[in-house]
């Protein structure tokens, strides 16, 4: 099977609570062990490993020795490595295989973001809409149906999202019931830049098992929203004019970096305008200031993180800090003014989309809050 296949399943043992991470390491040199692992974690079938004709065992003609002196190509030993780190909602996975591989994957209730280090992985090679991965460019694997994949020797990185979690995040603000999501496999590279920036920023912390509670919940949420933003269909609004372009650039920068200390000058530089132009454009187009927009964005992220967190493991302070707030008193007051309750009440309440230690509660549970 492909390297992608080695990353399309949950950890061998799911963690007890959503924000409690664990790591699974597997590896070796036995193809049968690799096949059994990948069939287990991907619910895969027809998994095969084949020798690279340019690197495997065989004989070939040595151009310097003549036809009577065959040269033996050295045998490359078969090896595989698999690592999975994460919680019930999001897992980061890496699979490396030294052989060509192929198979059919049927991941159950998972949405899988994947990118190949070397490139050359092919998803649905026998379909007209099959996609070949370019090195380092993320794609969304097909969901809700089995799909075939092939890959050359190499490494594939994947991010797995629990389907209930990602579907809940997708509708957290519109009040609709979560439903299965139809993602395009690939999108224009311009859509991927903010997602790749978020990946670079959060990956190390998500791979750190000491990152737990509210901080991990906020990171899960941030990465989920970045994927939803990158792979949703583009709105048909035509090319923006200059002021709207300024707004788009400024907002994109704030969405990507809201957890960091940001000054108005930083936002203006990212939007490629002066501070005065940025402020005037926001006031004219949005009826607010860049600073107020950033504050509201951080409050929104904190509220979602609190709603999706496990009350037994999350602290309000950890969530606030992970969303860019440094002063708890100001955060608590601004949160209460915005949402009519203090952040602790949100965390303790029954309005979360994700049940404590369990799956997403669907529409009836949402309305009950």
């Amino acid at each position: 099977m492909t390297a992608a296949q080695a990353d399309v399943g949950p950890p061998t043992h799911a963690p007890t609570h959503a924000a409690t991470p664990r790591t699974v390491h597997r590896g070796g040199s036995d193809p049968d062990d690799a096949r059994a692992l990948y069939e287990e974690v991907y619910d895969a079938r027809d998994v095969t490993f084949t020798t690279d004709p340019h690197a495997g065992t065989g004989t070939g003609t040595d151009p310097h020795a003549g036809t009577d002196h065959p040269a033996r190509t050295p045998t490359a030993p078969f090896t595989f490595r698999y690592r999975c780190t994460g919680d019930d909602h999001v897992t980061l996975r890496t699979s490396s295989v030294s052989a060509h591989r192929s198979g059919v994957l049927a991941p159950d209730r998972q949405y899988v973001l994947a990118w190949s280090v070397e490139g050359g992985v092919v998803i649905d090679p026998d379909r007209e809409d099959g996609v070949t991965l370019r090195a380092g460019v993320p794609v969304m694997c097909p969901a809700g149906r089995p799909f075939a994949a092939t890959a050359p020797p190499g490494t594939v990185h994947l991010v797995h999202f629990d389907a209930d979690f990602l579907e809940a995040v997708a509708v957290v603000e519109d009040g609709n019931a979560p439903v299965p999501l139809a993602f395009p496999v690939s999108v224009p590279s311009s859509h991927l830049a903010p997602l790749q920036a978020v990946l670079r920023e959060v990956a190390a912390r998500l791979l750190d098992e000491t990152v737990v509670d509210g901080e991990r919940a906020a990171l899960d949420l941030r990465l989920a929203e970045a994927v939803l933003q990158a792979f949703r269909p583009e709105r048909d609004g035509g090319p923006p004019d200059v002021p709207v372009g300024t707004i788009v650039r400024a907002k994109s920068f704030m969405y990507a970096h809201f957890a960091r200390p940001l000054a108005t000058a930083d936002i203006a530089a990212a939007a490629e305008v002066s501070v005065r132009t940025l402020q005037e454009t926001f006031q004219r187009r949005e009826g607010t200031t860049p600073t107020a927009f950033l504050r509201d964005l951080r409050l929104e992220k904190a509220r979602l993180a609190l709603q999706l967190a496990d009350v037994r493991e999350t602290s309000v302070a950890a969530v606030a800090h992970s969303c860019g707030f440094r002063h708890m008193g100001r955060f608590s007051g601004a949160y209460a003014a915005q949402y009519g309750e203090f952040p602790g009440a949100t965390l303790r309440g029954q309005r979360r989309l994700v049940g404590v230690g369990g799956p997403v509660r669907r529409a009836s549970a949402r309305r009950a809050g």
Side-chain angles (χ1 to χ4, degrees):
M1 102 180 125
T2 70
Q5 290 171 294
D7 294 286
V8 184
T12 304
H13 300 91
T16 304
H17 306 307
T20 303
R22 62 170 278 118
T23 298
V24 173
H25 286 281
R26 297 282 293 274
S29 57
D30 188 337
D32 290 335
D33 288 346
R35 185 176 297 107
L37 169 68
Y38 296 151
E39 287 176 351
E40 175 187 356
V41 299
Y42 298 136
D43 195 15
R45 67 176 190 270
D46 302 330
V47 177
T48 61
F49 303 104
T50 58
T51 303
D52 183 346
H54 301 292
T57 303
T59 59
T61 301
D62 185 343
H64 302 290
T67 57
D68 293 333
H69 298 83
R72 183 170 296 276
T73 305
T75 300
F78 176 87
T79 60
F80 73 97
R81 291 182 294 106
Y82 172 79
R83 171 176 172 150
C84 172
T85 300
D87 53 47
D88 280 350
H89 295 158
V90 179
T91 56
L92 274 62
R93 310 180 186 211
T94 297
S95 175
S96 298
V97 181
S98 65
H100 288 264
R101 56 266 197 215
S102 64
V104 177
L105 289 67
D108 182 33
R109 295 296 292 156
Q110 296 276 314
Y111 294 102
V112 182
L113 178 76
W115 64 99
S116 170
V117 173
E118 297 82 5
V121 176
V122 182
I123 295 175
D124 286 327
D126 297 327
R127 291 169 55 115
E128 291 185 0
D129 58 351
V131 171
T132 300
L133 276 64
R134 293 178 290 151
V137 179
V139 301
M140 287 295 293
C141 296
R145 66 168 175 84
F147 64 93
T150 65
T155 299
V156 172
H157 298 291
L158 301 99
V159 181
H160 284 238
F161 297 91
D162 172 74
D164 285 330
F165 170 70
L166 194 60
E167 290 164 8
V169 173
V171 298
V172 70
E173 292 180 333
D174 61 21
N176 294 326
V179 296
L181 304 171
F183 287 102
V185 174
S186 60
V187 294
S189 57
S190 60
H191 293 198
L192 295 173
L195 169 61
Q196 290 170 312
V198 171
L199 280 167
R200 287 191 294 270
E201 188 169 340
V202 306
R205 284 186 286 168
L206 286 174
L207 289 170
D208 183 352
E209 288 188 83
T210 66
V211 176
V212 296
D213 302 339
E215 183 177 2
R216 180 165 289 272
L219 293 171
D220 286 351
L221 180 61
R222 186 174 181 194
L223 188 51
E225 291 186 314
V227 167
L228 289 167
Q229 182 180 18
F231 283 87
R232 279 179 172 171
E234 185 177 5
R235 293 180 181 179
D236 185 16
D241 58 24
V242 173
V244 174
T246 297
I247 293 289
V248 169
R249 287 191 294 271
K251 287 184 176 180
S252 295
F253 179 77
M254 285 188 275
Y255 272 101
H257 303 288
F258 68 87
R260 299 178 177 179
L262 295 179
T264 305
D266 299 324
I267 304 169
E272 302 175 4
V273 294
S274 68
V275 169
R276 180 177 179 179
T277 297
L278 179 71
Q279 292 173 330
E280 291 177 348
T281 303
F282 255 86
Q283 193 64 52
R284 184 171 63 251
R285 296 282 179 170
E286 302 290 323
T288 187
T289 66
T291 302
F293 180 88
L294 178 60
R295 179 203 61 212
D296 291 346
L297 171 62
R298 288 170 169 166
L299 288 171
E300 175 187 325
K301 300 299 183 184
R303 183 167 179 81
L304 291 173
L306 291 168
Q307 290 174 327
L308 290 167
D310 186 335
V311 67
R312 296 172 296 186
E313 298 187 345
T314 300
S315 72
V316 170
V319 170
H321 184 80
S322 69
C323 293
F325 292 99
R326 300 295 180 264
H327 302 282
M328 285 301 301
R330 296 176 188 173
F331 165 67
S332 184
Y335 188 97
Q338 185 84 343
Y339 300 113
E341 65 179 9
F342 288 102
T346 303
L347 180 60
R348 294 188 301 269
Q350 299 302 313
R351 298 164 65 176
R352 292 182 301 280
L353 297 176
V354 178
V356 173
V360 172
R361 305 187 191 280
R362 295 200 175 267
S364 59
R366 286 174 54 87
R367 289 192 293 267

